[in-house]
Amino acid sequence: MVGVSPAPARTSNEAIVAAARRILESDGLAAVTMRSVAEAVGVRGPSLYKRVPDRAALIRAVGASVVTDLAEALALVPETEDARIDIRVVSARYRTFVLRNPNGYRLLFDDLPPAEAPDPGAVAALGEPIVGAMLRLVGPRHALEAARTMTAWAHGFVSMELAGAFRLGGDLEAAYAFGIEAILAGVSASATRSSR
Amino acid sequence: MVGVSPAPARTSNEAIVAAARRILESDGLAAVTMRSVAEAVGVRGPSLYKRVPDRAALIRAVGASVVTDLAEALALVPETEDARIDIRVVSARYRTFVLRNPNGYRLLFDDLPPAEAPDPGAVAALGEPIVGAMLRLVGPRHALEAARTMTAWAHGFVSMELAGAFRLGGDLEAAYAFGIEAILAGVSASATRSSR
DNA sequence: ACCTGAACACCGTTCAAGT
DNA sequence: ACCTGAACACCGTTCAAGT
């Protein structure tokens, strides 16, 4: 116990990032101001600079927290025997997470100044479960290309869904399932053909 | 000729949108301020309000100009006899355009306030050449799902490429070609299977 | 050791005043 | 009819002053 300092902390880094993420999700990135975040944790704007270098670092920390949660949601523990089943499971969890955290997810791919963007390496590492499953499905020679095809499609699908770019109606749940099956069939066929 | 008005226009809507798009492409969206755009066309900030309601409308007009150019780049005139060839051509043009207009392209899918976002219908209409080719490739029953799979993948691929999310090296050109062929094979197989 | 009000530079926007 | 400087509200950020 050292609680005899002249001015004990009234907030914490975790509380600040959590508040910023809450505001981001409910009101969008533009609403995440130093003053609004400060108010949400019970201090004034300038006090945030005791814990966060600047707004860009705060936005980056929010992105990192989204990446952490998404990575946890996608982790395959344990893997099943069938790589196809694992890929279906990971893809379904991916879309579920994105639809529940739309503004947080967009932070990972939006056009942000480099200082605000989350670590590209951490974002790229989100594809690991798919790379692992593709290794089992199509073998080492085409695992990376196959995984990139699947992750690019999944990201593209949810990103367009969030942007309202699917205008012609139809069942998006079914369209998502169609895409997974098409790519599973396609990467197997392409990998087989080009290995001969 | 009516050029006797007390104060002839020194700029135009087209010049303003073009200047804004140039600044967006070279310095990013945050650099597109009313004052920087005004300076680029030779007037002061407040004068822009004679031609544009506000900054949100200006950003929307820039997005619309990107959509127009992209639609023109993708138009299939004429179509070939082989739908697969058309899909390869459109997909290649798509990636080329995006790599040449990265910040403009991101405007179409970024998390923008609704007032700044381009018309979702116009963005969605960019998929038409692919829908048409898929109609020929897999028939009416699965054309929409097949087109959505292809467009979602293409958007996802270039979006991740722009975000620097492909970290494991490899030839991205080849990975893009692999994805096209995998999806062509996959949507044909899926459409055939689920039609039986 | 932490928090705050005041202040500064910058932005979007309005408006009365100029030509 | 169009353009401008001045002004206002808001934002990120700094800093001297408070406890």
Side-chain angles (χ1 to χ4, degrees), chain B residues 54-143:
Chain B
D54 50 30
R55 181 176 183 272
L58 175 56
I59 302 299
R60 219 180 326 115
V62 172
S65 118
V66 174
V67 169
T68 300
D69 289 358
L70 180 50
E72 189 183 337
L74 299 182
L76 280 169
V77 188
E79 296 179 345
T80 70
E81 288 163 32
D82 187 341
R84 282 185 165 79
I85 291 180
D86 285 352
I87 291 170
R88 291 188 190 105
V89 167
V90 172
S91 301
R93 289 183 192 163
Y94 190 79
R95 180 161 175 263
T96 299
F97 182 92
V98 173
L99 295 182
R100 284 189 190 151
N101 303 269
N103 287 341
Y105 178 74
R106 278 189 269 234
L107 215 50
L108 311 189
F109 292 100
D110 262 16
D111 176 26
L112 298 171
E116 294 177 22
D119 174 29
V123 175
L126 290 170
E128 272 168 21
I130 294 291
V131 174
M134 283 296 182
L135 212 48
R136 290 180 282 143
L137 184 67
V138 304
R141 181 154 167 199
H142 293 288

Side-chain angles (χ1 to χ4, degrees), chain B:
Chain B
M1 295 284 186
V2 281
V4 291
S5 47
R10 281 181 224 165
T11 184
S12 67
N13 228 302
E14 297 74 46
I16 291 168
V17 173
R21 188 166 161 188
R22 234 176 293 122
I23 295 170
L24 168 70
E25 211 50 81
S26 59
D27 299 321
L29 185 55
V32 182
T33 69
M34 297 304 273
R35 286 170 173 94
S36 73
V37 172
E39 189 190 14
V41 299
V43 297
R44 303 295 182 140
S47 296
L48 293 186
Y49 291 84
K50 281 280 143 182
R51 321 217 179 280
V52 184
D54 50 30
R55 181 176 183 272
L58 175 56
I59 302 299
R60 219 180 326 115
V62 172
S65 118
V66 174
V67 169
T68 300
D69 289 358
L70 180 50
E72 189 183 337
L74 299 182
L76 280 169
V77 188
E79 296 179 345
T80 70
E81 288 163 32
D82 187 341
R84 282 185 165 79
I85 291 180
D86 285 352
I87 291 170
R88 291 188 190 105
V89 167
V90 172
S91 301
R93 289 183 192 163
Y94 190 79
R95 180 161 175 263
T96 299
F97 182 92
V98 173
L99 295 182
R100 284 189 190 151
N101 303 269
N103 287 341
Y105 178 74
R106 278 189 269 234
L107 215 50
L108 311 189
F109 292 100
D110 262 16
D111 176 26
L112 298 171
E116 294 177 22
D119 174 29
V123 175
L126 290 170
E128 272 168 21
I130 294 291
V131 174
M134 283 296 182
L135 212 48
R136 290 180 282 143
L137 184 67
V138 304
R141 181 154 167 199
H142 293 288
L144 183 57
E145 284 172 328
R148 279 176 172 165
T149 300
M150 182 62 80
T151 55
W153 165 79
H155 162 60
F157 190 100
V158 297
S159 163
M160 291 177 72
E161 185 174 2
L162 292 184
F166 291 139
R167 284 331 220 41
L168 299 176
D171 183 346
L172 289 185
E173 186 91 20
Y176 193 73
F178 178 94
I180 294 176
E181 299 309 320
I183 292 174
L184 282 175
V187 298
S188 301
S190 287
T192 303
R193 185 166 45 240
S194 74
S195 288
R196 266 183 297 192

Side-chain angles (χ1 to χ4, degrees), chain A residues 75-126:
Chain A
L76 279 170
V77 188
E79 296 179 346
T80 70
E81 290 162 31
D82 186 341
R84 284 185 164 78
I85 292 181
D86 286 350
I87 290 169
R88 291 188 188 105
V89 167
V90 171
S91 301
R93 289 182 191 163
Y94 190 80
R95 180 161 175 262
T96 298
F97 181 93
V98 173
L99 295 182
R100 284 188 190 150
N101 304 269
N103 287 341
Y105 179 74
R106 278 188 271 232
L107 215 50
L108 311 190
F109 293 100
D110 263 15
D111 176 25
L112 297 172
E116 295 177 23
D119 173 29
V123 175
L126 290 170

Side-chain angles (χ1 to χ4, degrees), chain A residues 4 7 16 20 22 34 42 50 56 59 61 63 73 87 91 104 109 112 117 126 157 159 161 165-166 172 176:
Chain A
V4 289
I16 290 169
R22 234 176 292 121
M34 298 304 273
K50 282 281 143 181
I59 301 300
I87 290 169
S91 301
F109 293 100
L112 297 172
L126 290 170
F157 190 100
S159 163
E161 185 174 2
F166 291 138
L172 288 186
Y176 193 73

Side-chain angles (χ1 to χ4, degrees), chain A residues 20-41:
Chain A
R21 188 166 161 187
R22 234 176 292 121
I23 295 170
L24 168 70
E25 211 51 79
S26 58
D27 299 320
L29 185 55
V32 182
T33 68
M34 298 304 273
R35 286 168 172 95
S36 72
V37 173
E39 188 190 15
V41 299

